[in-house]
Coordinates of all heavy atoms in Angstrom, one line a residue:
M999 N 140.7 129.0 124.5 CA 141.2 128.7 123.2 C 142.1 127.5 123.4 O 142.7 127.2 124.4 CB 142.2 129.8 122.7 CG 141.4 131.1 122.1 SD 140.5 130.6 120.5 CE 140.6 132.2 119.7
E1000 N 142.1 126.5 122.4 CA 142.9 125.3 122.6 C 143.6 125.1 121.2 O 143.1 125.6 120.3 CB 142.0 124.2 123.1 CG 140.9 124.0 122.1 CD 139.9 122.8 122.6 OE1 140.5 121.6 122.7 OE2 138.8 123.0 122.8
F1001 N 144.6 124.3 121.2 CA 145.2 123.8 120.0 C 144.4 122.9 119.3 O 143.7 122.0 119.8 CB 146.5 123.2 120.4 CG 147.7 124.0 120.5 CD1 148.2 124.4 121.8 CD2 148.3 124.6 119.4 CE1 149.3 125.2 121.9 CE2 149.3 125.6 119.6 CZ 149.8 125.8 120.8
K1002 N 144.2 123.2 118.0 CA 143.6 122.2 117.2 C 144.4 121.8 116.1 O 145.3 122.5 115.6 CB 142.4 123.0 116.5 CG 141.2 123.2 117.5 CD 140.0 123.6 116.7 CE 138.8 123.8 117.6 NZ 137.7 124.3 116.9
K1003 N 144.1 120.6 115.5 CA 144.8 120.1 114.4 C 144.1 120.4 113.1 O 142.8 120.0 113.0 CB 145.0 118.5 114.6 CG 146.1 118.0 113.7 CD 146.3 116.5 113.8 CE 147.4 116.0 113.0 NZ 147.5 114.7 112.9
C1004 N 144.7 121.0 112.2 CA 144.1 121.4 110.9 C 143.5 120.2 110.1 O 144.3 119.2 110.0 CB 145.1 122.2 110.1 SG 144.4 122.6 108.4
E1005 N 142.4 120.2 109.8 CA 141.8 119.1 109.1 C 142.4 118.9 107.7 O 142.3 118.0 107.0 CB 140.3 119.3 109.0 CG 139.5 119.1 110.3 CD 138.0 119.1 110.0 OE1 137.6 119.4 108.9 OE2 137.4 119.0 111.1
R1006 N 142.9 119.9 107.2 CA 143.4 119.9 105.8 C 144.9 119.6 105.8 O 145.3 118.7 104.9 CB 143.1 121.3 105.2 CG 143.4 121.2 103.6 CD 142.7 122.5 103.0 NE 143.3 122.5 101.7 CZ 142.6 122.8 100.6 NH1 141.3 123.0 100.6 NH2 143.1 122.8 99.3
C1007 N 145.8 120.3 106.5 CA 147.2 120.0 106.4 C 147.7 119.4 107.5 O 148.9 118.9 107.4 CB 147.9 121.3 106.1 SG 148.0 122.4 107.4
G1008 N 147.0 119.3 108.6 CA 147.5 118.6 109.8 C 148.4 119.5 110.8 O 148.8 118.9 111.7
C1009 N 148.5 120.7 110.5 CA 149.5 121.5 111.4 C 148.6 121.9 112.6 O 147.3 121.7 112.5 CB 149.9 122.7 110.7 SG 148.8 124.0 110.5
F1010 N 149.1 122.3 113.7 CA 148.5 122.7 114.9 C 148.3 124.2 114.8 O 149.2 124.9 114.4 CB 149.2 122.2 116.2 CG 149.1 120.8 116.3 CD1 150.1 119.9 115.8 CD2 147.9 120.3 117.0 CE1 150.0 118.5 116.0 CE2 148.0 118.8 117.2 CZ 148.8 118.1 116.7
F1011 N 147.2 124.7 115.3 CA 146.9 126.1 115.3 C 145.9 126.5 116.3 O 145.2 125.5 116.9 CB 146.4 126.5 114.0 CG 145.1 125.9 113.6 CD1 143.8 126.7 113.7 CD2 144.9 124.5 113.3 CE1 142.7 126.1 113.4 CE2 143.6 124.0 113.0 CZ 142.5 124.7 113.1
I1012 N 145.8 127.7 116.7 CA 144.8 128.1 117.6 C 143.6 129.0 117.1 O 144.0 130.0 116.4 CB 145.4 129.0 118.8 CG1 146.5 128.2 119.5 CG2 144.4 129.5 119.8 CD1 147.3 129.0 120.5
S1013 N 142.6 128.4 117.0 CA 141.4 129.2 116.3 C 140.1 128.4 116.7 O 140.1 127.3 117.2 CB 141.6 129.2 114.9 OG 140.4 129.5 114.2
E1014 N 139.1 129.1 116.3 CA 137.7 128.5 116.5 C 137.4 127.6 115.3 O 136.4 126.8 115.3 CB 136.7 129.5 116.6 CG 136.7 130.3 117.8 CD 136.5 129.5 119.2 OE1 135.7 128.7 119.1 OE2 137.4 129.8 120.1
D1015 N 138.2 127.7 114.2 CA 137.9 127.0 113.1 C 138.4 125.6 113.1 O 139.2 125.2 113.9 CB 138.5 127.8 111.8 CG 137.8 129.2 111.7 OD1 136.6 129.2 111.8 OD2 138.7 130.1 111.6
N1016 N 138.0 124.8 111.9 CA 138.6 123.5 111.9 C 139.9 123.4 111.1 O 140.5 122.4 111.0 CB 137.6 122.6 111.4 CG 136.4 122.3 112.3 OD1 136.5 122.3 113.5 ND2 135.2 122.4 111.8
V1017 N 140.2 124.4 110.4 CA 141.4 124.6 109.6 C 142.2 125.7 109.9 O 141.7 126.7 110.4 CB 141.1 124.5 108.1 CG1 140.4 123.3 107.6 CG2 140.2 125.6 107.6
C1018 N 143.5 125.6 109.7 CA 144.4 126.7 110.0 C 144.1 128.0 109.0 O 143.5 127.8 108.0 CB 145.9 126.3 109.8 SG 146.4 125.9 108.2
C1019 N 144.7 129.0 109.3 CA 144.4 130.2 108.4 C 144.9 130.1 106.8 O 144.2 130.5 105.9 CB 144.8 131.6 109.0 SG 146.6 131.6 109.4
N1020 N 146.0 129.3 106.7 CA 146.4 129.1 105.3 C 145.3 128.2 104.6 O 145.1 128.5 103.4 CB 147.8 128.3 105.4 CG 148.9 129.1 105.7 OD1 149.0 130.3 105.6 ND2 149.9 128.6 106.3
C1021 N 144.9 127.1 105.2 CA 144.0 126.2 104.6 C 142.6 127.0 104.4 O 141.9 126.4 103.5 CB 143.9 125.0 105.4 SG 145.5 124.1 105.3
K1022 N 142.3 127.9 105.2 CA 141.1 128.5 105.2 C 140.9 129.3 103.8 O 139.9 129.1 103.2 CB 141.0 129.6 106.2 CG 139.6 129.7 106.9 CD 139.5 130.7 108.0 CE 138.2 131.1 108.3 NZ 138.2 132.0 109.5
T1023 N 142.0 129.8 103.3 CA 142.0 130.5 102.1 C 141.9 129.4 101.0 O 141.1 129.6 100.0 CB 143.4 131.2 101.8 OG1 143.6 132.0 103.0 CG2 143.4 132.1 100.7
K1024 N 142.5 128.3 101.1 CA 142.5 127.3 100.1 C 141.1 126.6 100.0 O 140.5 126.4 99.1 CB 143.6 126.1 100.4 CG 145.0 126.6 100.3 CD 145.9 125.4 100.6 CE 147.3 126.1 100.7 NZ 148.2 124.9 101.3
D1025 N 140.5 126.5 101.4 CA 139.1 126.0 101.4 C 138.3 126.9 100.6 O 137.3 126.4 100.0 CB 138.6 125.9 102.9 CG 139.0 124.5 103.5 OD1 139.7 123.6 102.7 OD2 138.6 124.3 104.6
R1026 N 138.4 128.2 100.8 CA 137.5 129.1 100.2 C 137.5 128.9 98.6 O 136.6 129.0 98.0 CB 137.8 130.5 100.6 CG 137.3 130.8 102.0 CD 137.0 132.3 102.1 NE 136.7 132.6 103.6 CZ 137.5 133.5 104.4 NH1 138.5 134.1 103.9 NH2 137.1 133.7 105.5
A1027 N 138.8 128.8 98.2 CA 139.0 128.8 96.7 C 138.4 127.5 96.2 O 137.8 127.5 95.2 CB 140.5 128.8 96.4
D1028 N 138.6 126.4 97.0 CA 138.0 125.2 96.5 C 136.5 125.1 96.6 O 135.7 124.6 95.7 CB 138.5 124.0 97.4 CG 139.9 123.5 97.1 OD1 140.3 124.0 96.1 OD2 140.4 122.7 97.8
T1029 N 136.0 125.9 97.6 CA 134.5 126.0 97.7 C 133.9 126.7 96.5 O 132.9 126.4 96.0 CB 134.2 126.8 99.1 OG1 134.8 126.2 100.2 CG2 132.7 126.7 99.3
I1030 N 134.6 127.8 96.1 CA 134.1 128.5 95.0 C 134.3 127.7 93.6 O 133.3 127.6 92.8 CB 135.0 129.8 94.8 CG1 134.6 130.9 95.9 CG2 134.8 130.5 93.4 CD1 135.6 132.0 95.9
K1031 N 135.4 126.9 93.5 CA 135.5 126.0 92.3 C 134.3 125.0 92.3 O 133.7 124.8 91.4 CB 136.7 125.2 92.4 CG 138.0 125.8 91.8 CD 139.1 124.7 91.6 CE 140.3 125.3 92.2 NZ 141.3 124.2 92.6
L1032 N 134.0 124.4 93.6 CA 132.9 123.5 93.7 C 131.6 124.1 93.3 O 130.8 123.6 92.6 CB 133.0 123.0 95.2 CG 131.9 122.0 95.6 CD1 132.2 120.7 94.6 CD2 132.1 121.6 97.0
Q1033 N 131.4 125.3 93.9 CA 130.2 126.0 93.6 C 129.9 126.2 92.1 O 128.8 126.0 91.5 CB 130.2 127.4 94.3 CG 129.1 128.3 94.1 CD 127.9 128.0 95.1 OE1 128.2 127.8 96.2 NE2 126.7 128.2 94.6
N1034 N 131.0 126.7 91.5 CA 131.0 126.9 90.0 C 130.7 125.6 89.2 O 129.9 125.6 88.3 CB 132.3 127.6 89.5 CG 132.4 128.9 90.0 OD1 131.4 129.6 90.3 ND2 133.7 129.3 90.0
F1035 N 131.4 124.5 89.6 CA 131.2 123.3 89.1 C 129.7 122.8 89.2 O 129.0 122.3 88.2 CB 132.0 122.2 89.6 CG 131.9 120.9 89.0 CD1 132.7 120.5 88.0 CD2 131.1 119.9 89.6 CE1 132.5 119.2 87.3 CE2 130.9 118.6 88.9 CZ 131.6 118.3 87.9
I1036 N 129.1 123.0 90.3 CA 127.7 122.6 90.5 C 126.9 123.4 89.8 O 125.8 123.0 89.2 CB 127.4 122.7 92.1 CG1 128.2 121.5 92.8 CG2 125.9 122.5 92.3 CD1 128.1 121.6 94.3
E1037 N 127.0 124.8 89.7 CA 126.2 125.6 88.8 C 126.3 125.1 87.4 O 125.2 125.1 86.7 CB 126.7 127.0 88.9 CG 126.1 127.7 90.0 CD 126.6 129.2 90.2 OE1 127.2 129.7 89.2 OE2 126.3 129.6 91.3
E1038 N 127.4 124.6 86.9 CA 127.4 124.0 85.5 C 126.9 122.8 85.3 O 126.4 122.4 84.3 CB 128.9 124.2 85.0 CG 129.4 125.4 84.3 CD 130.7 125.3 83.8 OE1 131.1 124.3 83.0 OE2 131.6 126.1 84.3
H1039 N 127.2 121.9 86.2 CA 126.9 120.5 86.0 C 125.8 119.9 86.9 O 125.4 118.8 86.7 CB 128.2 119.6 86.3 CG 129.3 120.1 85.4 ND1 129.4 119.5 84.1 CD2 130.3 120.9 85.6 CE1 130.6 120.1 83.6 NE2 131.1 121.0 84.5
G1040 N 125.3 120.7 87.8 CA 124.3 120.2 88.8 C 125.0 119.3 89.8 O 126.2 119.2 89.9
T1041 N 124.2 118.8 90.7 CA 124.7 117.9 91.8 C 124.7 116.4 91.5 O 124.7 115.7 92.3 CB 123.9 118.2 93.0 OG1 122.4 118.0 92.7 CG2 124.2 119.6 93.5
S1042 N 124.5 116.1 90.1 CA 124.3 114.8 89.9 C 125.6 113.9 89.7 O 125.7 112.6 89.6 CB 123.4 114.5 88.5 OG 124.0 115.2 87.6
C1043 N 126.8 114.7 89.6 CA 128.1 114.1 89.4 C 128.5 113.3 90.7 O 128.1 113.7 91.8 CB 129.1 115.0 89.0 SG 128.8 115.8 87.4
S1044 N 129.2 112.4 90.5 CA 129.8 111.6 91.6 C 131.0 112.4 92.2 O 131.5 113.2 91.6 CB 130.3 110.2 91.3 OG 131.5 110.4 90.5
I1045 N 131.3 112.1 93.5 CA 132.3 112.8 94.1 C 133.7 112.6 93.3 O 134.6 113.6 93.3 CB 132.3 112.4 95.6 CG1 132.8 113.6 96.3 CG2 133.1 111.2 95.8 CD1 132.4 113.7 97.9
E1046 N 133.8 111.5 92.7 CA 135.1 111.1 92.1 C 135.1 112.1 90.7 O 136.1 112.6 90.4 CB 135.2 109.7 91.6 CG 135.5 108.7 92.6 CD 134.2 108.3 93.5 OE1 133.2 108.7 93.1 OE2 134.5 107.7 94.5
E1047 N 133.9 112.2 90.1 CA 133.9 113.1 88.9 C 134.2 114.5 89.3 O 134.9 115.2 88.6 CB 132.6 112.9 88.1 CG 132.3 111.8 87.3 CD 130.9 111.6 87.0 OE1 129.9 111.9 87.7 OE2 130.7 111.2 85.8
I1048 N 133.6 114.9 90.3 CA 133.8 116.3 90.8 C 135.3 116.5 91.1 O 135.9 117.5 90.7 CB 133.0 116.7 92.0 CG1 131.5 116.5 91.7 CG2 133.3 118.1 92.4 CD1 130.5 116.7 92.9
S1049 N 135.9 115.6 91.8 CA 137.3 115.7 92.2 C 138.2 115.7 90.9 O 139.1 116.6 90.9 CB 137.7 114.5 93.1 OG 139.1 114.5 93.3
S1050 N 137.9 114.8 89.9 CA 138.8 114.9 88.8 C 138.7 116.0 88.0 O 139.6 116.6 87.4 CB 138.7 113.7 88.0 OG 137.5 113.5 87.3
Q1051 N 137.5 116.8 88.0 CA 137.3 117.8 87.2 C 137.6 119.2 87.8 O 138.0 120.2 87.2 CB 135.9 117.9 86.7 CG 135.6 116.7 85.7 CD 134.4 117.0 84.8 OE1 134.2 117.9 84.3 NE2 133.6 115.8 84.7
T1052 N 137.6 119.2 89.1 CA 137.9 120.4 89.8 C 139.2 120.5 90.4 O 139.8 121.5 90.8 CB 136.9 120.7 91.0 OG1 136.9 119.7 91.9 CG2 135.5 120.8 90.4
G1053 N 139.9 119.3 90.6 CA 141.3 119.2 91.2 C 141.1 119.2 92.6 O 142.0 119.2 93.4
I1054 N 139.8 119.2 93.3 CA 139.7 119.2 94.7 C 139.7 117.8 95.2 O 139.1 116.9 94.6 CB 138.4 119.8 95.2 CG1 138.2 121.2 94.6 CG2 138.1 119.8 96.6 CD1 136.7 121.7 94.7
T1055 N 140.6 117.4 96.2 CA 140.7 116.0 96.6 C 139.4 115.6 97.2 O 138.6 116.3 97.7 CB 141.8 115.9 97.7 OG1 141.4 116.6 98.9 CG2 143.1 116.5 97.2
I1056 N 139.2 114.2 97.0 CA 138.0 113.6 97.7 C 137.9 113.8 99.1 O 136.9 114.1 99.6 CB 138.0 112.1 97.2 CG1 137.8 112.0 95.7 CG2 137.0 111.3 97.9 CD1 137.9 110.6 95.1
K1057 N 139.0 113.8 99.7 CA 139.0 114.0 101.2 C 138.4 115.4 101.4 O 137.5 115.5 102.4 CB 140.5 113.9 101.7 CG 140.6 114.0 103.1 CD 142.1 114.0 103.5 CE 142.2 114.6 104.9 NZ 143.6 115.0 105.2
N1058 N 138.8 116.5 100.8 CA 138.3 117.8 101.0 C 136.8 117.8 100.6 O 136.0 118.5 101.2 CB 139.1 118.8 100.2 CG 140.4 119.1 100.9 OD1 140.5 119.0 102.2 ND2 141.4 119.3 100.4
L1059 N 136.5 117.2 99.5 CA 135.0 117.2 99.1 C 134.1 116.7 100.1 O 133.1 117.1 100.4 CB 134.9 116.4 97.8 CG 135.4 117.1 96.7 CD1 135.4 116.3 95.3 CD2 134.5 118.3 96.2
N1060 N 134.6 115.5 100.8 CA 133.8 115.0 101.8 C 133.8 115.9 103.0 O 132.8 115.9 103.7 CB 134.5 113.6 102.3 CG 134.2 112.5 101.4 OD1 133.1 112.5 100.8 ND2 135.2 111.5 101.1
R1061 N 134.9 116.6 103.3 CA 134.8 117.5 104.3 C 133.8 118.7 104.1 O 133.0 118.9 104.9 CB 136.3 118.2 104.6 CG 137.2 117.5 105.4 CD 138.4 118.2 105.6 NE 138.1 119.6 105.8 CZ 138.7 120.6 105.1 NH1 139.5 120.4 104.3 NH2 138.4 121.8 105.5
F1062 N 133.8 119.2 103.0 CA 132.9 120.3 102.5 C 131.5 119.8 102.7 O 130.6 120.4 103.2 CB 133.2 120.7 101.1 CG 134.5 121.4 100.9 CD1 135.0 121.4 99.7 CD2 135.1 122.1 102.0 CE1 136.3 122.0 99.5 CE2 136.4 122.6 101.8 CZ 137.0 122.6 100.6
E1063 N 131.3 118.6 102.3 CA 130.0 118.0 102.2 C 129.4 117.9 103.7 O 128.3 118.1 104.0 CB 129.9 116.6 101.6 CG 128.5 116.2 101.2 CD 128.5 115.1 100.3 OE1 129.5 114.3 100.4 OE2 127.7 114.9 99.4
S1064 N 130.3 117.6 104.7 CA 129.9 117.4 106.0 C 129.6 118.7 106.6 O 128.8 118.8 107.6 CB 130.7 116.4 106.7 OG 132.1 116.9 106.8
I1065 N 130.6 119.7 106.3 CA 130.4 121.0 106.9 C 129.2 121.6 106.5 O 128.4 122.3 107.3 CB 131.7 121.8 106.5 CG1 133.1 121.3 107.2 CG2 131.5 123.2 107.0 CD1 134.2 121.8 106.6
N1066 N 128.9 121.7 105.2 CA 127.9 122.4 104.5 C 127.2 121.4 103.7 O 127.9 120.7 103.0 CB 128.4 123.4 103.6 CG 128.6 124.8 104.1 OD1 127.6 125.4 104.6 ND2 129.7 125.4 104.0
K1067 N 125.9 121.3 103.5 CA 125.3 120.6 102.3 C 125.8 121.3 101.1 O 125.6 122.6 101.0 CB 123.9 120.6 102.4 CG 123.3 119.9 103.6 CD 123.3 118.3 103.4 CE 123.0 117.7 104.7 NZ 123.6 116.4 104.8
I1068 N 126.5 120.7 100.3 CA 127.2 121.4 99.1 C 126.3 122.3 98.4 O 126.6 123.3 98.1 CB 127.9 120.3 98.1 CG1 129.0 119.7 98.8 CG2 128.1 120.8 96.8 CD1 129.6 118.5 98.0
A1069 N 125.1 121.8 98.2 CA 124.1 122.6 97.3 C 123.7 124.0 98.1 O 123.2 124.9 97.4 CB 123.0 121.9 96.8
D1070 N 123.9 123.9 99.3 CA 123.4 125.1 100.1 C 124.5 126.2 100.5 O 124.2 126.9 101.2 CB 122.9 124.6 101.6 CG 121.6 123.8 101.3 OD1 121.1 123.9 100.3 OD2 121.3 122.9 102.2
I1071 N 125.7 126.0 99.8 CA 126.8 126.9 100.1 C 126.3 128.3 99.8 O 125.7 128.6 98.6 CB 128.0 126.5 99.3 CG1 128.6 125.3 99.9 CG2 129.0 127.7 99.3 CD1 129.7 124.6 98.9
D1072 N 126.3 129.2 100.7 CA 126.0 130.5 100.5 C 127.0 131.3 99.8 O 127.9 131.7 100.5 CB 125.5 131.1 101.9 CG 124.8 132.5 101.7 OD1 124.8 133.0 100.6 OD2 124.3 132.9 102.7
K1073 N 126.8 131.8 98.6 CA 127.7 132.6 97.9 C 128.1 133.9 98.6 O 129.2 134.4 98.4 CB 127.3 132.9 96.5 CG 127.9 132.1 95.4 CD 127.5 132.7 94.0 CE 128.3 132.1 93.0 NZ 127.7 132.3 91.7
D1074 N 127.0 134.5 99.3 CA 127.3 135.7 99.8 C 128.4 135.7 101.0 O 128.9 136.7 101.3 CB 126.0 136.3 100.4 CG 124.9 136.6 99.2 OD1 125.5 136.8 98.1 OD2 123.8 136.5 99.4
N1075 N 128.5 134.4 101.6 CA 129.4 134.4 102.6 C 131.0 134.0 102.2 O 131.7 134.0 103.0 CB 129.0 133.2 103.7 CG 127.8 133.7 104.4 OD1 127.7 134.9 104.7 ND2 127.0 132.6 104.8
I1076 N 131.1 134.0 100.8 CA 132.4 133.6 100.3 C 133.0 134.8 99.7 O 132.5 135.4 98.8 CB 132.3 132.6 99.2 CG1 131.6 131.3 99.8 CG2 133.6 132.3 98.6 CD1 131.2 130.3 98.7
N1077 N 134.0 135.3 100.5 CA 134.9 136.4 100.0 C 136.3 136.0 99.8 O 136.9 135.6 100.6 CB 134.8 137.5 101.1 CG 133.5 138.0 101.2 OD1 132.9 138.6 100.1 ND2 132.9 138.0 102.3
I1078 N 136.7 136.1 98.6 CA 138.1 135.5 98.3 C 138.9 136.6 97.7 O 138.4 137.4 96.7 CB 138.1 134.2 97.5 CG1 139.5 133.7 97.5 CG2 137.5 134.4 96.2 CD1 139.6 132.1 97.3
E1079 N 140.1 136.8 98.1 CA 141.0 137.7 97.3 C 142.0 136.9 96.9 O 142.8 136.2 97.5 CB 141.5 138.7 98.5 CG 140.5 139.6 98.9 CD 141.0 140.1 100.3 OE1 142.2 140.4 100.5 OE2 140.2 140.5 101.1
L1080 N 142.2 137.0 95.5 CA 143.2 136.2 94.8 C 144.3 137.1 94.2 O 144.0 138.2 93.8 CB 142.6 135.3 93.7 CG 141.8 134.1 94.1 CD1 141.0 133.5 93.0 CD2 142.5 133.1 95.0
Ligands
ZN205 ZN1 146.1 123.8 107.4

């Protein structure tokens, strides 16, 4: 295990993930918002449009895109407790 810098908030944490546990929750929420947006609007919107309509920052959208192909996000792997 080594210290990692959270890609989302910049804090240091120890985990196998790229974001800290606080941000993991936020990432999941954003992923669901993104998924819902894509279901409604398809994947033809620009990242700026998606950002302004979902409230997800462009930086985070770019991260999600590089982690997962956005359209391939597997809903069954998303479990969120709000
Ligand atoms: Zn974080």
Side-chain angles (χ1 to χ4, degrees):
M999 286 293 207
E1000 55 182 304
F1001 274 106
K1002 284 195 180 174
K1003 193 174 181 195
C1004 175
E1005 287 186 0
R1006 187 164 171 138
C1007 71
C1009 76
F1010 288 94
F1011 66 103
I1012 299 174
S1013 167
E1014 295 297 316
D1015 300 309
N1016 293 320
V1017 293
C1018 68
C1019 53
N1020 288 335
C1021 292
K1022 216 172 167 184
T1023 311
K1024 291 177 194 165
D1025 265 4
R1026 285 206 187 119
D1028 281 354
T1029 307
I1030 289 169
K1031 265 193 244 169
L1032 181 60
Q1033 176 91 34
N1034 289 338
F1035 182 86
I1036 290 169
E1037 274 178 17
E1038 264 182 62
H1039 304 274
T1041 50
S1042 58
C1043 292
S1044 70
I1045 212 152
E1046 287 83 7
E1047 283 172 319
I1048 298 173
S1049 175
S1050 68
Q1051 293 196 45
T1052 58
I1054 304 169
T1055 64
I1056 289 173
K1057 186 184 159 200
N1058 283 327
L1059 287 169
N1060 283 326
R1061 276 184 42 232
F1062 296 151
E1063 202 169 25
S1064 60
I1065 294 167
N1066 262 308
K1067 294 282 171 214
I1068 286 177
D1070 295 340
I1071 291 169
D1072 185 354
K1073 250 189 176 170
D1074 297 333
N1075 289 331
I1076 300 170
N1077 290 304
I1078 187 151
E1079 291 159 32
L1080 291 175

